[in-house]
Amino acid sequence: MKKIIYALSAIALLAVSSCTKDNFQQDDDTLVATIDAVSTRTAIAAAGDHYDVNWVTGDTISVSDGTTTALYEAATGGSTVSEFKNVSGSTLSGSSIVGYYPQEISNGFLPYCQKYAADGVYKVPMISDVSSDAKNLLFKPITGILKVNVTTTAGNIVVKSISVRADQGLSGNYTMIDGAAIVNDVTGTALACGEGVAISGTATPFYIAVPANTYT
């Protein structure tokens, strides 16, 4: 059976290019990061639901200028736009910067284990456009979202984890193609649900971030 995970309308990363390049100047310890309001609507099915992605207070992004990496933390949440404060003490320079969220994906690796969230993906993997403007760092998701509905007719049943396998990679080393993450191996992924999520005869949804593709 084939399941189609609809791709986000993400735009390929745009390189900043010109005949001459001025170095990026960090005038203070604050960045402004925006989540693209259009391409962060993830289609679960052809006529399915859509989900907005907002920053959460304390979210940490990794920002690199190609040589130096600095960590920034969201000062506010509940919106697609937030100010991020430098919490690493590193100073950025160079001609352009790029941001990663969560910070762990900056090493080119999508984690195998994801954490459960009741109302969506706990951390939607995102990468910003390459930018020379620290006050306008635009993030776009690099995966789609798989929605799994679970039901049971038995009582006192909880789900503690969900493992997903496919004929293509779902986690591990990835490369960026047309704004989307493509995993280079066939590793699956897993959703860890802590002490367990109670299920019943009414469908309980579980959301898993996976590279947008057609899978068997």
Side-chain angles (χ1 to χ4, degrees):
M1 179 177 69
K2 287 186 178 291
K3 293 182 179 293
I4 298 177
I5 308 302
Y6 289 84
L8 301 164
S9 56
I11 302 172
L13 296 181
L14 303 177
V16 177
S17 62
S18 62
C19 293
T20 60
K21 291 186 176 181
D22 295 326
N23 283 347
F24 166 79
Q25 295 296 324
Q26 187 179 10
D27 54 2
D28 55 39
D29 285 339
T30 302
L31 294 176
V32 177
T34 302
I35 303 174
D36 189 297
V38 175
S39 65
T40 55
R41 293 184 172 272
T42 306
I44 302 302
D49 295 332
H50 291 75
Y51 296 87
D52 289 329
V53 180
N54 290 328
W55 294 118
V56 174
T57 302
D59 273 342
T60 302
I61 60 175
S62 173
V63 182
S64 173
D65 61 11
T67 301
T68 303
T69 297
L71 299 181
Y72 287 78
E73 187 175 283
T76 59
S79 171
T80 59
V81 182
S82 180
E83 282 194 350
F84 283 73
K85 302 294 185 180
N86 190 323
V87 293
S88 63
S90 302
T91 300
L92 300 175
S93 61
S95 59
S96 61
I97 56 175
V98 60
Y100 302 86
Y101 176 83
Q103 65 185 76
E104 294 82 4
I105 71 168
S106 63
N107 62 2
F109 190 88
L110 290 177
Y112 169 77
C113 188
Q114 302 180 37
K115 186 175 179 179
Y116 168 79
D119 55 356
V121 174
Y122 182 68
K123 290 185 178 181
V124 177
M126 296 186 289
I127 297 179
S128 78
D129 286 345
V130 177
S131 176
S132 58
D133 180 5
K135 300 302 182 183
N136 187 28
L137 207 55
L138 185 63
F139 279 79
K140 300 185 177 91
I142 61 172
T143 69
I145 297 175
L146 174 65
K147 180 182 181 181
V148 179
N149 287 321
V150 181
T151 63
T152 182
T153 57
N156 300 320
I157 301 296
V158 298
V159 173
K160 290 193 174 181
S161 66
I162 294 177
S163 296
V164 182
R165 298 287 188 274
D167 59 344
Q168 300 171 53
L170 303 179
S171 66
N173 295 316
Y174 71 88
T175 54
M176 293 296 296
I177 299 179
D178 295 333
I182 304 298
V183 174
N184 302 323
D185 52 40
V186 291
T187 307
T189 190
L191 183 68
C193 304
E195 294 300 315
V197 177
I199 57 174
S200 64
T202 301
T204 300
F206 295 81
Y207 303 90
I208 305 171
V210 295
N213 216 326
T214 301
Y215 298 98
T216 299

